[in-house]
Amino acid sequence: MNAPKISRRTLERLSLYRRLLSDRFAEENPFIYSHSLATLVNVTPSQVRRDIMVTGCAGNPSKGYRVSDLVMAISRLVDSDGPEPVILIGVGKLGSALIDYVRTRRPHLRIVAAFDAKPMKVDRDVLGVHCHEMSELEAIISENGVHSAILTVPAQAAQDVANLLVKARILGILNFAPVPLHVPTHVFVESIDLTSSLDKVTFFARQEVERTDLPASEDPEN
């Protein structure tokens, strides 16, 4: 049976529902109504119901959705049958933190190999993941059936590495480098621009201070 066609935004919301339900409701609240979940994620109850419909999970009119059933239905839709192999390129502080996050929080994913251009980082393990030379990239991707990669390299190296990933038939890239990647249309790229996000947060916070005429800071002595 073919998987249902799902938009990017729907998938984002389903992933968010699963995380919130797993973290906050799995034990203390066996059921949840669509309007309660809608309040948590700031969407309409009808949007929640439309999203959940694609998972095949049915709610109870008097109780709502059983949390365990909903989490399982989302997982069946979003995750692969077994641990999905992923590679990571760029074993700096961010790369190491992501290896730890995937290892401890995302059991449906498995980082099978890491890569770095710096000789001092190669041929050692980082939290159980072996770091390889970039020259081994294509072979390891092929051997492990990898289709997704996490990119945490400096901006100036990002496009060259992306080109290597495309050549090695990677189809999905999570990009933490602060530059847009130019890849073929069949390759899905999700860019996480920390700098841009921080700029937006500080800009709109500053605007709110100016709009309400609040003091930018307070003297701790007063």
Side-chain angles (χ1 to χ4, degrees):
M1 184 175 64
N2 293 330
K5 192 173 181 64
I6 303 173
S7 72
R8 179 174 183 158
R9 296 300 300 273
T10 298
L11 187 60
E12 288 173 353
R13 287 191 297 268
L14 287 171
S15 180
L16 179 57
Y17 300 160
R18 177 172 64 169
R19 178 170 62 80
L20 291 173
L21 293 172
S22 298
D23 290 348
R24 300 178 59 180
F25 288 94
E27 296 180 2
E28 57 192 67
N29 298 287
F31 290 91
I32 188 169
Y33 290 104
S34 59
H35 64 81
S36 299
L37 187 52
T39 299
L40 286 174
V41 298
N42 197 29
V43 297
T44 64
S46 60
Q47 181 66 69
V48 169
R49 290 191 292 271
R50 286 196 299 270
D51 292 339
I52 293 176
M53 191 179 299
V54 303
T55 72
C57 183
N60 183 303
S62 62
K63 293 183 178 180
Y65 297 94
R66 184 182 290 275
V67 170
S68 58
D69 290 348
L70 181 51
V71 169
M72 188 176 299
I74 295 173
S75 297
R76 278 198 302 265
L77 180 68
V78 174
D79 301 339
S80 58
D81 293 335
E84 183 84 14
V86 180
I87 59 168
L88 181 139
I89 302 95
V91 190
K93 291 181 179 178
L94 177 57
S96 298
L98 288 169
I99 289 174
D100 186 51
Y101 175 77
V102 171
R103 180 177 62 90
T104 57
R105 298 296 303 274
R106 314 309 290 171
H108 62 286
L109 300 176
R110 183 168 65 94
I111 297 182
V112 296
F115 299 85
D116 204 284
K118 296 180 180 178
M120 74 282 294
K121 294 183 179 180
V122 170
D123 202 24
R124 67 184 184 92
D125 287 356
V126 179
L127 298 172
V129 177
H130 193 70
C131 184
H132 301 263
E133 295 179 351
M134 291 297 296
S135 60
E136 300 178 68
L137 183 70
E138 195 165 352
I140 289 176
I141 288 173
S142 177
E143 289 169 7
N144 290 276
V146 178
H147 301 297
S148 304
I150 302 171
L151 197 58
T152 57
V153 299
Q156 62 271 22
Q159 187 60 55
D160 288 341
V161 175
N163 294 341
L164 292 175
L165 292 172
V166 171
K167 184 182 177 208
R169 300 186 178 181
I170 286 293
L171 299 173
I173 301 173
L174 178 58
N175 175 38
F176 283 88
V179 291
L181 298 179
H182 302 284
V183 299
T185 55
H186 68 274
V187 178
F188 181 86
V189 175
E190 177 77 2
S191 292
I192 310 296
D193 191 337
L194 299 177
T195 300
S196 176
S197 296
L198 186 57
D199 283 346
K200 285 188 287 186
V201 168
T202 55
F203 175 82
F204 287 112
R206 189 169 63 251
Q207 276 200 332
E208 184 64 16
V209 168
E210 294 169 354
R211 185 185 71 81
T212 57
D213 199 28
L214 292 173
S217 62
E218 294 184 0
D219 187 346
E221 297 298 324
N222 293 334

